[in-house]
Amino acid sequence: MSQHQSPDIKRITTHQLQAMKQRGEKISMLTAYDFSMARIIDGAGIDVLLVGDSASNVMAGHETTLPITLDQMIYHASSVVRAVSRAFVVVDIPFGYYQGNSSEALRSAIRIMKESGAHAVKVEGGAEIKESVIRILSAGVPVMGHLGLTPQSIFKFGTYTVRAKEEEEAEKLLADAKLLEECGCFAIVLEKIPAKLAKKVAESVTIPIIGIGAGGDVDGQVLVMQDMLGITKEFKPRFLRRYADLNAIINDAVENYIKDVKSSDFPNNKEQY
Ligand code: KIV
């Protein structure tokens, strides 16, 4: 547990996240997709773990988040849930499992909650998915929104560049954030938008705003675990801070292992029965 973490909290809840916003304590959030990494990250004291559909990129090697299925998300989520004793676990409903209609959205959310044991779901979009958000919330499932750069709509945007730089899109984003709050979402992720707009949104709603590439004047930050640990090498957006160079560390370890196997240095007398 780190010194920056509230010591008296045993399990993070939506109420605690809300209280953190009210007292100005920043919320820490990272993605996780498997048991071993989730256990380390939870043990370090992260507040929220997101089983993101970025699993489609960093776990499965797809170019976009679109191909990942609901079954695959549930598999990742259940592995993460088994590892966690403190963090609040949020799971992305993947592309194609909530946009059709609100019954489909509710069915998908219920499958995630029942089969993975997660604590909440995340969906991308504002007014256009309002009915789905309301229907999921009506079943008692907490919902996190996601606005700005929403990767499930990448083929509509055409690029991964900063969103909402123009007045019209900025106004829609602010209206969508207020709408998601009104519907009952417990938090919203804002991805890759101007810091000034993110600040305005965070000041305009009472629920926590978690940023990724949205500046420092929001209520918390999220990064993709593989990016911040330096496992992915090629992805270098301005907003990314790398906290380790695991790519180099793993590469060195594997090179040394290969060398030791080839030279019959491994295993030695003490490493056998
Ligand atoms: O899928 C994901 O990892 C996300 C984060 C980028 C917020 O949605």
Side-chain angles (χ1 to χ4, degrees), residues 172-186:
K172 173 168 171 21
L173 188 144
L174 181 57
D176 278 342
K178 288 180 180 169
L179 177 74
L180 291 174
E181 176 182 40
E182 236 174 73
C183 289
C185 287
F186 72 93

Side-chain angles (χ1 to χ4, degrees), residues 11 46 68 87 103-104 109 130 144 169 198 225 229 238 251:
R11 253 243 190 248
I46 201 77
I68 199 160
S103 309
E104 176 192 52
K130 179 182 167 193
M144 177 181 267
E169 193 180 341
M225 177 257 291
L229 291 180
R238 188 201 296 194
N251 186 73

Side-chain angles (χ1 to χ4, degrees), residues 12 34 50 84 95 115 175 181 210:
I12 302 283
D34 72 289
L50 171 66
V84 161
F95 175 69
E115 297 176 38
E181 176 182 40
I210 315 287

